[in-house]
Amino acid sequence: MLRNALNNLTVIDFTHVGAGPTCTMLMADMGARVIKVEPPDGELGRKLGPAWIGQDSALFHGFNRNKLGLSLDMKADGAVDLARRLVGKADVLVESMRPGVMQRLGLGYEALKELNPRLIYCSISAYGQEGPYADRAGVDGIMQADSGLMSIIGSEGAEPAKVQAPVVDVFTGYVAVMGILAQLRKAEATGFGAHLDVNLFGASIALQQVSLTNYLTDREVPEKIGSAAPYSAPNEAFETADGWLMLAAYNGGRWERLCDVLRLPELASDPRFATSSKRVANRRMMREILGARFRTESRDHWLSALLEADILCAPVATYDDLLLHPQLQANGMIMTLDHPELGQIRMPGFPINSREVNGMDHQPAPELGADTRSILASFGFEESEIDALVKKGAVGDRWAEPKSVAAVG
């Protein structure tokens, strides 16, 4: 069962905000024991709202389910030795510091592989571990801009736009999981781990597989064409009398059927629109003709007629629409977590075998330092050692100084 696929795998998580937490959350979803290590005031993602759930951002809850929480002050006496002790018994370490930070702490890959040769050490950074930009920080929006992705989003003449969901962050997390799981299989055969260099810049380039391959072939700069696909037509959104719909009618006889549905049979034999590539070349004219007809009837009217003709289509849904989508419930893609103090928390769930996996028990994101004592005890720390570490401020113990928790807002 996928929910238990990574049982007995221990992951030490030194990541913040988006890409790294996505990676470790996915492994936790599949059963890994993920120990989220945070500084005394918590990771940056806890503070990035609105929205808020209790004292922490909804973003933090959305990226950190199923993890255990350890509060660790790396500047305190004994903290680095504690971290090394954890890593010595771990399978995977994921970190998202700027290149060089972990090395200066004594927790770089070269130092830790001597301690644990099987360790898979995944570094997630903005631009990579080497090169002229390696020292630069970067976030999702910066990467959408610097990778060229932002240049192909939106419409000509409009201000620059980006994908509002942090698509580069999330995709980078999935890339990291792919690399870690592949390296785990190799480690089983060789007995040795590896250092994986995963970065937002590389992932954002990979997201543009089609558009960049096209550009490298003909050096034609992609147009900003809104909802349209640059390689096929019609494959775009049209306005109806009361809303927008998206359709794809460029192959499989669908163009001809679209012409029939729109009562424009003459377009099917028009040489300007005879093939998808000719329709791409004459897109503006095609849109004017089709658009005028779509605006004469309601969206529901056209969606019904298009579906009956087996033409790919969908409403351009809002989030309100999405929550009413019958397939969303059928797939079980919205997960509900029961928090002991904050009540129910809903979020997008795990996307593979989603109904089965998301219907099982999952744990909400950890309170800061919530599991410090139990984690250290599981790694062989005596109670007196833990008390000493708490007293020195090396670790934070949530239960030593309980904080008030606000109601779900």
Side-chain angles (χ1 to χ4, degrees), residues 45 73 82 89 92 103 137 142 158 179 186 196 211 233 241 248 252 263 278 296 314 329 398:
D73 185 352
L82 182 157
K89 295 182 179 180
V92 178
Q103 287 89 331
I142 297 300
K186 186 174 181 180
L196 305 180
S211 52
R263 301 184 300 281
K278 288 185 178 180
T296 64
Q329 181 176 357
R398 182 198 177 217

Side-chain angles (χ1 to χ4, degrees), residues 45-272:
R46 288 187 183 269
K47 306 169 184 69
L48 297 181
W52 303 100
I53 299 175
Q55 294 182 341
D56 297 315
S57 69
L59 176 153
F60 176 81
H61 286 274
F63 281 140
N64 289 286
R65 62 175 177 252
N66 290 321
K67 302 178 185 179
L68 301 173
L70 170 65
S71 176
L72 182 63
D73 185 352
M74 298 302 295
K75 298 177 182 178
D77 182 36
V80 171
D81 288 340
L82 182 157
R84 288 174 59 85
R85 191 162 161 183
L86 299 187
V87 172
K89 295 182 179 180
D91 303 287
V92 178
L93 183 149
V94 186
E95 60 93 4
S96 61
M97 312 294 183
R98 283 199 196 188
V101 170
M102 292 292 277
Q103 287 89 331
R104 289 192 290 274
L105 289 171
L107 297 173
Y109 174 66
E110 293 301 322
L112 294 183
K113 77 174 183 179
E114 299 298 322
L115 179 68
N116 182 354
R118 294 180 63 92
L119 181 69
I120 295 169
Y121 189 113
C122 180
S123 294
I124 300 177
S125 63
Y127 288 96
Q129 297 300 300
E130 298 179 353
Y133 278 38
D135 289 337
R136 292 196 184 190
V139 294
D140 182 276
I142 297 300
M143 291 304 142
Q144 290 196 40
D146 208 13
S147 69
L149 179 60
M150 198 179 290
S151 76
I152 64 173
I153 297 173
S155 302
E156 290 295 342
E159 68 176 85
K162 71 183 186 73
V163 181
Q164 290 301 303
V167 61
V168 173
D169 272 349
V170 172
F171 181 60
T172 303
Y174 277 78
V175 170
V177 170
M178 174 187 69
I180 290 168
L181 296 183
Q183 192 61 49
L184 277 169
R185 183 171 182 181
K186 186 174 181 180
E188 290 174 359
T190 66
F192 294 99
H195 187 193
L196 305 180
D197 177 0
V198 178
N199 57 84
L200 302 181
F201 188 66
S204 61
I205 298 300
L207 268 173
Q208 301 172 75
Q209 196 76 20
V210 172
S211 52
L212 274 172
T213 300
N214 288 346
Y215 175 73
L216 292 169
T217 300
D218 59 19
R219 284 298 195 272
E220 291 288 333
V221 176
E223 291 183 74
K224 296 176 74 171
I225 51 178
S227 64
Y231 47 80
S232 60
N235 188 1
E236 50 214 285
F238 288 91
E239 187 177 18
T240 70
D242 61 355
W244 287 80
L245 62 80
M246 181 77 183
L247 69 85
Y250 55 88
N251 67 350
R254 291 186 174 92
W255 167 249
E256 291 76 15
R257 296 200 296 278
L258 175 65
C259 294
D260 288 339
V261 167
L262 294 176
R263 301 184 300 281
L264 296 169
E266 68 278 7
L267 292 187
S269 57
D270 191 317
R272 296 171 301 176

Side-chain angles (χ1 to χ4, degrees), residues 4 186 204 258 265 268 289 318 323:
N4 303 317
K186 186 174 181 180
S204 61
L258 175 65
I289 297 170
T318 65
L323 293 185

Side-chain angles (χ1 to χ4, degrees), residues 38-39 60 72 74 90 119 140 156 162 232 240 243 273 285 297 308 320 331 340 385 389 403:
E38 298 183 70
F60 176 81
L72 182 63
M74 298 302 295
L119 181 69
D140 182 276
E156 290 295 342
K162 71 183 186 73
S232 60
T240 70
F273 310 125
M285 190 176 302
E297 299 282 358
E308 186 175 350
D320 287 339
N331 288 354
E385 291 182 276
L389 288 165
K403 64 179 183 180

